[in-house]
């Protein structure tokens, strides 16, 4: 049976820059490939995907996780209507907890995205 995959989109700022794409472009090829692979898994399983691949952080913000060698990378996202996942920002993890500033940035980007979309959730 074919699954109806989720659609993954990258949040863009008003100036058309894309924080997630810029972050992914900054990674070495192997880590970027690992993150893209995790996004494929996320698209396939959506909100059914759990640890160790993804985790809910706060207020509807989630992270998809990738590890390669000793490097740990996270990309934050939220779910939107119509089986859509919006990737907001990413970072290389340097500490045990996800930095609050990264979560706050994802919330800020979600707010901008929702205002653009007319407030639909």
């Amino acid at each position: 049976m074919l699954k109806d995959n989720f659609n993954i989109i990258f949040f863009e700022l008003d100036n058309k820059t894309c924080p997630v794409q810029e972050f992914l472009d900054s990674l070495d090829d192997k880590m970027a490939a690992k993150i893209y692979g995790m996004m494929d898994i996320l698209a396939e399983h959506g909100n059914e995907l759990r640890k160790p691949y993804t985790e809910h952080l706060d207020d509807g913000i989630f992270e998809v996780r990738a590890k390669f060698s000793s490097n740990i990378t996270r990309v934050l996202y939220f779910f939107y209507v119509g089986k859509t996942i919006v990737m907001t920002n990413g970072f290389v993890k340097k500490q045990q907890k996800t930095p609050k500033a990264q979560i706050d940035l994802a919330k800020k980007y979600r707010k901008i995205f929702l205002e653009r979309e007319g407030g639909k959730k």
Side-chain angles (χ1 to χ4, degrees):
M1 180 170 130
L2 286 174
K3 275 190 114 167
D4 185 20
N5 285 0
F6 282 68
N7 181 37
I8 292 182
I9 62 173
F10 290 177
F11 169 79
E12 286 185 1
L13 293 164
D14 290 337
N15 64 4
K16 298 298 182 204
T17 60
C18 181
V20 173
Q21 191 63 63
E22 289 176 359
F23 171 71
L24 293 170
D25 290 347
S26 76
L27 298 173
D28 67 61
D29 291 344
K30 289 181 180 180
M31 181 57 90
K34 187 93 170 179
I35 282 285
Y36 281 116
M38 293 307 305
M39 286 183 194
D40 288 343
I41 293 169
L42 179 62
E44 186 177 333
H45 297 281
N47 53 359
E48 295 175 3
L49 194 63
R50 301 284 185 263
K51 282 185 180 182
Y53 307 105
T54 187
E55 183 173 16
H56 177 257
L57 298 174
D58 183 50
D59 189 29
I61 301 295
F62 297 79
E63 67 180 6
V64 65
R65 308 159 138 206
K67 183 175 182 182
F68 183 76
S69 185
S70 62
N71 297 323
I72 300 170
T73 302
R74 304 287 192 251
V75 175
L76 279 56
Y77 65 94
F78 63 91
F79 291 96
Y80 186 63
V81 295
K83 294 186 87 171
T84 299
I85 297 169
V86 182
M87 310 305 280
T88 57
N89 54 300
F91 64 98
V92 175
K93 194 164 180 185
K94 305 264 188 216
Q95 59 196 49
Q96 191 63 25
K97 271 187 90 151
T98 298
K100 184 179 183 322
Q102 292 293 333
I103 298 170
D104 290 345
L105 186 58
K107 289 178 182 179
K108 174 185 170 186
Y109 290 164
R110 178 181 61 191
K111 182 176 188 276
I112 293 168
F113 180 88
L114 293 175
E115 285 171 355
R116 276 193 217 143
E117 297 297 314
K120 298 179 284 188
K121 267 202 171 185

Short mmCIF file of all heavy atoms in Angstrom, two decimals, residues 9-12 14 78 80-81 84 86 109-121:
data_model
loop_
_atom_site.label_atom_id
_atom_site.label_comp_id
_atom_site.label_asym_id
_atom_site.label_seq_id
_atom_site.Cartn_x
_atom_site.Cartn_y
_atom_site.Cartn_z
N ILE A 9 8.48 21.64 3.17
CA ILE A 9 8.86 22.91 2.56
C ILE A 9 9.82 23.64 3.50
O ILE A 9 9.84 23.37 4.70
CB ILE A 9 7.64 23.80 2.22
CG1 ILE A 9 6.86 24.16 3.48
CG2 ILE A 9 6.75 23.11 1.21
CD1 ILE A 9 5.74 25.17 3.24
N PHE A 10 10.61 24.53 2.95
CA PHE A 10 11.55 25.32 3.73
C PHE A 10 11.01 26.73 3.89
O PHE A 10 10.64 27.37 2.89
CB PHE A 10 12.92 25.39 3.04
CG PHE A 10 13.69 24.09 3.03
CD1 PHE A 10 14.91 24.02 2.38
CD2 PHE A 10 13.22 22.95 3.65
CE1 PHE A 10 15.65 22.85 2.36
CE2 PHE A 10 13.94 21.77 3.64
CZ PHE A 10 15.17 21.73 2.99
N PHE A 11 10.98 27.21 5.12
CA PHE A 11 10.54 28.57 5.41
C PHE A 11 11.48 29.55 4.73
O PHE A 11 12.70 29.39 4.74
CB PHE A 11 10.55 28.80 6.93
CG PHE A 11 10.36 30.24 7.30
CD1 PHE A 11 9.10 30.81 7.28
CD2 PHE A 11 11.45 31.03 7.65
CE1 PHE A 11 8.93 32.15 7.60
CE2 PHE A 11 11.28 32.36 7.98
CZ PHE A 11 10.02 32.93 7.96
N GLU A 12 10.89 30.60 4.12
CA GLU A 12 11.66 31.69 3.52
C GLU A 12 11.33 32.99 4.21
O GLU A 12 10.16 33.25 4.53
CB GLU A 12 11.34 31.84 2.03
CG GLU A 12 11.92 30.77 1.17
CD GLU A 12 11.68 31.05 -0.32
OE1 GLU A 12 11.08 32.09 -0.67
OE2 GLU A 12 12.09 30.21 -1.12
N ASP A 14 11.12 37.23 4.21
CA ASP A 14 10.54 38.15 3.23
C ASP A 14 11.52 38.52 2.12
O ASP A 14 11.12 38.81 1.00
CB ASP A 14 10.02 39.42 3.92
CG ASP A 14 8.79 39.14 4.76
OD1 ASP A 14 8.08 38.14 4.49
OD2 ASP A 14 8.52 39.90 5.70
N PHE A 78 7.79 22.54 12.08
CA PHE A 78 6.44 22.43 12.64
C PHE A 78 5.52 21.86 11.55
O PHE A 78 5.85 21.86 10.37
CB PHE A 78 5.93 23.78 13.16
CG PHE A 78 5.78 24.85 12.11
CD1 PHE A 78 4.58 25.02 11.43
CD2 PHE A 78 6.84 25.69 11.81
CE1 PHE A 78 4.44 26.02 10.47
CE2 PHE A 78 6.72 26.69 10.85
CZ PHE A 78 5.51 26.85 10.18
N TYR A 80 1.96 21.81 9.43
CA TYR A 80 0.99 22.76 8.90
C TYR A 80 -0.11 21.97 8.20
O TYR A 80 0.04 20.78 7.94
CB TYR A 80 1.70 23.74 7.94
CG TYR A 80 0.83 24.85 7.44
CD1 TYR A 80 0.29 25.79 8.31
CD2 TYR A 80 0.53 24.97 6.09
CE1 TYR A 80 -0.52 26.81 7.84
CE2 TYR A 80 -0.27 25.99 5.62
CZ TYR A 80 -0.80 26.90 6.51
OH TYR A 80 -1.60 27.90 6.05
N VAL A 81 -1.19 22.64 7.86
CA VAL A 81 -2.34 21.97 7.25
C VAL A 81 -1.95 21.20 5.99
O VAL A 81 -0.96 21.53 5.33
CB VAL A 81 -3.49 22.97 6.92
CG1 VAL A 81 -4.05 23.59 8.17
CG2 VAL A 81 -3.04 24.02 5.95
N THR A 84 1.64 19.08 5.61
CA THR A 84 2.82 19.88 5.28
C THR A 84 3.70 20.03 6.51
O THR A 84 3.21 20.27 7.61
CB THR A 84 2.40 21.27 4.76
OG1 THR A 84 1.61 21.09 3.58
CG2 THR A 84 3.59 22.14 4.45
N VAL A 86 6.95 22.29 7.76
CA VAL A 86 7.72 23.50 7.44
C VAL A 86 9.01 23.47 8.24
O VAL A 86 9.00 23.54 9.47
CB VAL A 86 6.91 24.78 7.75
CG1 VAL A 86 7.72 26.01 7.35
CG2 VAL A 86 5.57 24.76 7.04
N TYR A 109 9.74 32.21 13.23
CA TYR A 109 9.53 31.89 11.81
C TYR A 109 8.14 31.30 11.59
O TYR A 109 7.50 31.59 10.58
CB TYR A 109 10.61 30.93 11.32
CG TYR A 109 11.99 31.54 11.19
CD1 TYR A 109 13.11 30.74 11.08
CD2 TYR A 109 12.18 32.92 11.18
CE1 TYR A 109 14.38 31.28 10.95
CE2 TYR A 109 13.45 33.47 11.05
CZ TYR A 109 14.55 32.65 10.93
OH TYR A 109 15.81 33.18 10.80
N ARG A 110 7.67 30.46 12.52
CA ARG A 110 6.31 29.91 12.40
C ARG A 110 5.28 31.03 12.42
O ARG A 110 4.34 31.03 11.62
CB ARG A 110 6.04 28.90 13.52
CG ARG A 110 4.62 28.34 13.47
CD ARG A 110 4.34 27.36 14.56
NE ARG A 110 4.48 28.00 15.85
CZ ARG A 110 4.50 27.34 17.01
NH1 ARG A 110 4.40 26.03 17.04
NH2 ARG A 110 4.63 27.99 18.14
N LYS A 111 5.46 31.99 13.33
CA LYS A 111 4.52 33.12 13.43
C LYS A 111 4.47 33.89 12.11
O LYS A 111 3.39 34.22 11.60
CB LYS A 111 4.95 34.03 14.59
CG LYS A 111 4.02 35.21 14.83
CD LYS A 111 4.49 35.98 16.07
CE LYS A 111 3.50 37.03 16.48
NZ LYS A 111 3.63 38.29 15.78
N ILE A 112 5.63 34.17 11.54
CA ILE A 112 5.69 34.88 10.25
C ILE A 112 5.00 34.05 9.17
O ILE A 112 4.19 34.57 8.40
CB ILE A 112 7.16 35.16 9.86
CG1 ILE A 112 7.79 36.17 10.83
CG2 ILE A 112 7.25 35.66 8.41
CD1 ILE A 112 9.31 36.28 10.69
N PHE A 113 5.28 32.77 9.14
CA PHE A 113 4.68 31.88 8.14
C PHE A 113 3.16 31.88 8.25
O PHE A 113 2.46 32.02 7.26
CB PHE A 113 5.24 30.47 8.30
CG PHE A 113 4.69 29.48 7.33
CD1 PHE A 113 5.29 29.30 6.09
CD2 PHE A 113 3.58 28.70 7.64
CE1 PHE A 113 4.77 28.38 5.19
CE2 PHE A 113 3.07 27.80 6.75
CZ PHE A 113 3.67 27.63 5.51
N LEU A 114 2.66 31.73 9.47
CA LEU A 114 1.20 31.67 9.67
C LEU A 114 0.52 32.99 9.33
O LEU A 114 -0.57 32.99 8.78
CB LEU A 114 0.89 31.25 11.11
CG LEU A 114 1.28 29.82 11.48
CD1 LEU A 114 1.03 29.56 12.96
CD2 LEU A 114 0.56 28.79 10.62
N GLU A 115 1.19 34.10 9.65
CA GLU A 115 0.61 35.41 9.30
C GLU A 115 0.52 35.55 7.78
O GLU A 115 -0.47 36.07 7.27
CB GLU A 115 1.47 36.53 9.90
CG GLU A 115 1.26 36.67 11.40
CD GLU A 115 2.27 37.63 12.06
OE1 GLU A 115 3.20 38.13 11.38
OE2 GLU A 115 2.12 37.85 13.27
N ARG A 116 1.53 35.09 7.08
CA ARG A 116 1.51 35.13 5.61
C ARG A 116 0.39 34.26 5.04
O ARG A 116 -0.18 34.57 4.01
CB ARG A 116 2.83 34.62 5.05
CG ARG A 116 3.89 35.63 4.98
CD ARG A 116 5.01 35.06 4.12
NE ARG A 116 6.27 35.48 4.66
CZ ARG A 116 7.37 34.76 4.70
NH1 ARG A 116 7.38 33.54 4.23
NH2 ARG A 116 8.47 35.24 5.19
N GLU A 117 0.16 33.13 5.69
CA GLU A 117 -0.85 32.18 5.21
C GLU A 117 -2.25 32.52 5.68
O GLU A 117 -3.17 31.74 5.50
CB GLU A 117 -0.47 30.75 5.67
CG GLU A 117 0.82 30.23 5.12
CD GLU A 117 0.79 30.09 3.61
OE1 GLU A 117 -0.21 29.56 3.07
OE2 GLU A 117 1.76 30.49 2.96
N GLY A 118 -2.41 33.65 6.35
CA GLY A 118 -3.72 34.08 6.79
C GLY A 118 -4.16 33.47 8.11
O GLY A 118 -5.35 33.40 8.38
N GLY A 119 -3.20 33.00 8.90
CA GLY A 119 -3.53 32.49 10.22
C GLY A 119 -4.03 31.06 10.27
O GLY A 119 -4.38 30.56 11.33
N LYS A 120 -4.07 30.36 9.12
CA LYS A 120 -4.50 28.96 9.13
C LYS A 120 -3.48 28.12 9.88
O LYS A 120 -2.29 28.37 9.79
CB LYS A 120 -4.62 28.42 7.70
CG LYS A 120 -5.64 29.12 6.86
CD LYS A 120 -5.68 28.54 5.47
CE LYS A 120 -4.50 29.02 4.66
NZ LYS A 120 -4.53 28.66 3.27
N LYS A 121 -3.95 27.12 10.63
CA LYS A 121 -3.01 26.23 11.32
C LYS A 121 -3.00 24.87 10.72
O LYS A 121 -3.92 24.39 10.18
CB LYS A 121 -3.36 26.13 12.79
CG LYS A 121 -2.61 27.14 13.59
CD LYS A 121 -2.52 26.71 15.01
CE LYS A 121 -1.59 27.64 15.74
NZ LYS A 121 -1.33 27.26 17.05
#
